[in-house]
Amino acid sequence: MILPDGYSDVPAGKIAAVVTHLEMTVRPARRGDPPGAWSLRKVEPPALDWYRDLYRRVGEEWLWFTRVGIDDADLAGRIHAPGVELYGLVVDGHDEGLLELDFSVPGECQLLYFGVTAKFIGTGAARFLMNRALEIAWSRDVSRVWVHTCTFDHPSAVAFYQRSCFRPFRRQIEIANDPRLDGTMPRTAARHVPIVEW
């Protein structure tokens, strides 16, 4: 369905975001790492409590809601699925960044989740994490690496991915229940996205 130009209604209790899908089909030149005492560790198998905590600390500010409120069996099925790999960005012995890669489609790697905690935004930690993500992805037999982001994410997210050699190939409108209205997420999450009640 193609939305007409102009305004489209968003139902009460819903949120709407513009989603940008980006891809690369050629391995990019390696970019240098920024200075910083970071390292990457593969988490295998990822514990559910570890995942929930890091997902919340990285994503709550950007209204990451798809993995919030799901039961243990559903979450385990997703993060323990064949082809899914989880990594933590380690700073001073603590995980401060999340990298979730999905190799389940032959020849492809999707960056399912990618981000660092708020205190490390703008420090170079995300650049370090992206460098590792691309090294891992392109070390496999893939011809495409892709990711999507939306207007709830950091305002520089699309530009960051483009500087990382991703190219946009699709845009969509995503409409979903506002997870802050039913208590799935705290009302303080994603302060840049207004809560609309009527």
Side-chain angles (χ1 to χ4, degrees):
M1 178 181 85
I2 298 176
L3 293 174
D5 288 350
Y7 296 105
S8 297
D9 289 342
V10 176
K14 300 283 188 177
I15 51 175
V18 177
V19 179
T20 302
H21 300 257
L22 305 101
E23 67 182 351
M24 60 173 66
T25 55
V26 176
R27 184 176 189 154
R30 187 182 186 284
R31 295 181 67 176
D33 286 332
W38 307 299
S39 62
L40 188 74
R41 73 179 186 102
K42 188 172 186 180
V43 182
E44 193 174 34
L48 301 187
D49 288 344
W50 170 85
Y51 185 87
R52 289 186 201 280
D53 172 66
L54 190 55
Y55 183 92
R56 179 192 58 77
R57 289 189 295 118
V58 171
E60 189 170 273
E61 185 170 349
W62 312 112
L63 212 58
W64 289 9
F65 59 85
T66 55
R67 299 279 173 89
V68 177
I70 63 176
D71 64 32
D72 285 354
D74 190 357
L75 180 60
R78 294 172 192 233
I79 67 174
H80 298 155
V84 173
E85 298 181 7
L86 272 294
Y87 298 84
L89 175 75
V90 182
V91 185
D92 295 328
H94 302 283
D95 291 316
E96 298 290 351
L98 176 64
L99 174 61
E100 184 171 348
L101 301 175
D102 183 356
F103 292 96
S104 62
V105 175
E108 292 190 1
C109 174
Q110 181 184 3
L111 275 68
L112 281 175
Y113 289 98
F114 174 94
V116 298
T117 57
K119 63 185 172 181
F120 291 102
I121 292 173
T123 66
R127 167 55 46 212
F128 174 89
L129 187 60
M130 179 57 74
N131 287 351
R132 302 294 81 74
L134 295 178
E135 286 174 2
I136 294 166
W138 288 104
S139 71
R140 313 296 170 79
D141 185 19
V142 300
S143 57
R144 179 177 184 247
V145 179
W146 70 283
V147 65
H148 70 264
T149 186
C150 76
T151 48
F152 296 153
D153 280 333
H154 192 284
S156 299
V158 170
F160 173 82
Y161 289 124
Q162 288 180 307
R163 286 194 306 274
S164 301
C165 296
F166 287 91
R167 296 291 171 253
F169 70 92
R170 185 179 189 186
R171 294 181 83 203
Q172 296 177 296
I173 302 293
E174 179 182 20
I175 297 177
N177 291 329
D178 189 331
R180 300 165 299 179
L181 292 177
D182 66 6
T184 302
M185 293 183 73
R187 294 179 71 90
T188 55
R191 295 178 191 274
H192 65 292
V193 181
I195 295 175
V196 178
E197 296 181 274
W198 27 16

